[in-house]
């Protein structure tokens, strides 16, 4: 273990594959570890040893834990790891992925993903919950509208109109809505109200984040940027000093055009759409 200088890790839910090499790049060990044995194995590594992994679910957690133990834990975006898998697309497995991560981490030009803090991940959970609730709310509204259509009631496609008229429609005995259908629509209306209350709770947490965080306050001063966008950008990016300029931030966000240029002839396509789709939605749409 004392000869190991770099470790590539392929994370999974129950097992973790490690690929360790020495200073010359020679394989020292390649093995599969149980999830609860991973930190014990890493504790035997020499201090400052690089432990690289793909930026995936749970990677930020492991990165923080390893750094607390004096290891140089780093994360690499998945699209930067795939080219270093010598077996190609047809040879994808845990062992080959761990070896590819180890090889990619040795490249001097490699870009690493900064680990997120607990505060960042906590606020990101609020944003993800809010997006999920918005989807559920839209589905609930469409469900109510579809049920009303079955009984010949068609309303304008604005949630405000439906919210204002739904109670009156349910109380109006002159329409042809069946008794059981009225009960169903009442339950759907209650569900809609519950979802709206949950979304308001998320908005309150985001507003509190803006009040307590100076970075979010500065971001909210930009034209067209409100509390939700400012909070999402800050907790997603973290340290903006990782970007040399605004153009690099735009490339990281996936706003630069795709290139298929050759022979001095430039051929640009649509934007790459790399990075966070949620941020692009907030900033553009």
């Amino acid at each position: 273990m004392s000869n190991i200088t770099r470790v590539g890790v392929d994370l999974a839910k129950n097992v973790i594959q490690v690929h360790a090499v020495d200073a010359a790049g020679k394989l020292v060990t390649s093995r599969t570890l149980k999830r609860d044995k991973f930190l014990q194995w890493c504790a035997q590594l020499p201090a400052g040893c690089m432990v690289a992994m793909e930026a995936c679910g749970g990677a930020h957690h492991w990165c923080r834990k390893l750094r607390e133990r004096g290891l140089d834990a780093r994360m690499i975006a998945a699209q930067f790891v795939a080219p270093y898998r010598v077996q190609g697309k047809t040879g994808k497995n845990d062992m080959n992925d761990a070896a590819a991560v180890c090889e990619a981490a040795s490249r001097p030009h490699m870009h690493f993903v900064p680990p997120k803090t607990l505060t960042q991940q906590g606020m990101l959970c609020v944003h993800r919950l809010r997006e999920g609730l918005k989807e559920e709310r839209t589905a609930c509204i469409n469900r109510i509208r579809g049920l009303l259509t079955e009984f010949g009631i068609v309303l304008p496609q604005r949630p405000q109109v439906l919210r204002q008229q739904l109670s009156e429609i349910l109380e109006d005995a002159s329409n042809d809505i069946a008794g059981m259908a009225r009960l169903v629509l009442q339950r759907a209306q209650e569900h809609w109200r519950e979802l709206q209350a949950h979304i308001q709770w998320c908005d309150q947490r985001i507003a509190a984040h803006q009040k307590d965080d100076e970075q979010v306050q500065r971001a909210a001063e930009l034209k067209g940027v409100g509390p939700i966008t400012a909070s999402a950008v800050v907790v997603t990016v973290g340290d903006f000093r990782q970007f040399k300029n605004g153009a690099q931030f735009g490339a990281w966000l996936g706003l630069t055009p795709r290139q298929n240029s050759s022979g001095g002839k430039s051929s640009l396509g649509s934007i790459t759409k790399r990075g966070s789709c949620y941020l692009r939605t907030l900033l553009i749409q």
Side-chain angles (χ1 to χ4, degrees), residues 154-212:
V154 178
L155 298 175
Q157 293 184 356
R158 286 185 297 172
Q160 297 84 351
V161 175
L162 180 62
R163 186 186 298 110
Q164 294 170 359
Q165 300 186 19
L166 182 57
S167 297
E168 296 179 3
I169 292 173
L170 295 177
E171 295 175 359
D172 186 4
S174 62
N175 54 42
D176 294 333
I177 301 179
M180 182 57 66
R182 292 182 191 275
L183 296 177
V184 171
L185 288 168
Q186 287 175 356
R187 296 300 296 266
Q189 186 183 36
E190 293 175 4
H191 185 211
W192 184 6
R193 290 170 179 169
E194 291 177 1
L195 292 173
Q196 190 63 39
H198 292 321
I199 293 175
Q200 290 176 355
W201 180 88
C202 293
D203 291 339
Q204 292 171 0
R205 302 286 77 75
I206 293 173
H209 182 219
Q210 179 186 11
K211 182 178 179 181
D212 299 336

Side-chain angles (χ1 to χ4, degrees), residues 39 53 58-71 73-75 114-122:
L39 288 179
M53 63 198 79
H60 291 274
H61 163 76
W62 290 117
C63 194
R64 288 193 300 266
K65 291 295 184 182
L66 294 175
R67 290 193 173 189
E68 290 174 359
R69 288 161 173 76
L71 299 174
R74 304 190 184 189
M75 293 180 293
K116 289 181 171 57
T117 63
L118 287 174
T119 302
Q120 285 180 269
Q121 287 198 288

Side-chain angles (χ1 to χ4, degrees), residues 185-247:
L185 288 168
Q186 287 175 356
R187 296 300 296 266
Q189 186 183 36
E190 293 175 4
H191 185 211
W192 184 6
R193 290 170 179 169
E194 291 177 1
L195 292 173
Q196 190 63 39
H198 292 321
I199 293 175
Q200 290 176 355
W201 180 88
C202 293
D203 291 339
Q204 292 171 0
R205 302 286 77 75
I206 293 173
H209 182 219
Q210 179 186 11
K211 182 178 179 181
D212 299 336
D213 194 299
E214 183 181 353
Q215 261 193 313
V216 180
Q217 295 173 9
R218 293 174 60 189
E221 293 176 358
L222 298 174
K223 184 178 181 180
V225 175
I228 296 174
T229 303
S231 174
V233 169
V234 170
V235 298
T236 302
V237 178
D239 186 8
F240 283 85
R241 290 174 297 181
Q242 62 182 294
F243 305 111
K244 295 181 180 179
N245 48 45

Side-chain angles (χ1 to χ4, degrees), residues 119-139:
T119 302
Q120 285 180 269
Q121 287 198 288
M123 284 306 304
L124 279 175
C125 289
V126 176
H127 285 274
R128 290 172 181 171
L129 174 62
R130 187 178 184 276
E131 284 300 294
L133 292 170
K134 284 171 54 182
E135 293 179 2
E136 292 182 39
R137 181 180 62 181
T138 301

Side-chain angles (χ1 to χ4, degrees), residues 33-154:
L33 302 170
K34 293 291 185 180
R35 184 182 182 87
D36 56 351
K37 301 294 183 182
F38 177 58
L39 288 179
Q40 298 179 13
W41 184 85
C42 291
Q44 306 174 50
L45 295 171
C49 177
M50 180 189 294
V51 182
M53 63 198 79
E54 283 189 359
C56 58
H60 291 274
H61 163 76
W62 290 117
C63 194
R64 288 193 300 266
K65 291 295 184 182
L66 294 175
R67 290 193 173 189
E68 290 174 359
R69 288 161 173 76
L71 299 174
D72 183 15
R74 304 190 184 189
M75 293 180 293
I76 308 174
Q79 66 266 24
F80 296 149
V81 174
Y84 293 95
R85 190 190 308 117
V86 296
Q87 296 81 6
K89 295 182 179 180
T90 58
K92 178 175 171 52
N93 57 42
D94 292 349
M95 185 182 300
N96 294 339
D97 286 350
V101 172
C102 187
E103 179 63 25
S106 68
R107 301 297 92 191
H109 62 275
M110 182 55 60
H111 295 286
F112 296 99
V113 178
K116 289 181 171 57
T117 63
L118 287 174
T119 302
Q120 285 180 269
Q121 287 198 288
M123 284 306 304
L124 279 175
C125 289
V126 176
H127 285 274
R128 290 172 181 171
L129 174 62
R130 187 178 184 276
E131 284 300 294
L133 292 170
K134 284 171 54 182
E135 293 179 2
E136 292 182 39
R137 181 180 62 181
T138 301
C140 182
I141 292 172
N142 291 338
R143 190 178 302 116
I144 293 172
R145 196 182 301 278
L147 292 174
L148 290 174
T149 304
E150 293 294 330
F151 298 96
I153 301 175
V154 178

